[in-house]
């Protein structure tokens, strides 16, 4: 499974397949928090980061 992390509209989003999931993190917060969140929610997934 691939998870893409992206900033959209001032929030961090996870894109999993064709689904876009809003995270509780603001775009001004550190990207590492979002990566840790994605690893916790989707264990074993490959995480890609896009701006």
């Amino acid at each position: 499974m691939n998870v893409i992390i992206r900033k959209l509209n001032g929030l961090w989003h996870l894109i999993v397949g064709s689904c876009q999931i809003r995270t509780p993190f603001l775009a001004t917060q550190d990207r590492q928090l979002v990566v840790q969140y994605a690893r916790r929610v989707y264990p074993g997934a490959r995480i890609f980061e896009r701006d």
Side-chain angles (χ1 to χ4, degrees), residues 11-39:
L11 291 172
W12 287 102
H13 288 73
L14 302 179
I15 301 172
V16 181
S18 62
C19 298
Q20 180 174 314
I21 303 164
R22 186 178 67 195
T23 66
F25 301 104
L26 297 174
T28 56
Q29 290 179 301
D30 190 31
R31 185 186 307 242
Q32 281 305 105
L33 289 173
V34 184
V35 171
Q36 290 173 0
Y37 175 79
R39 289 189 195 283

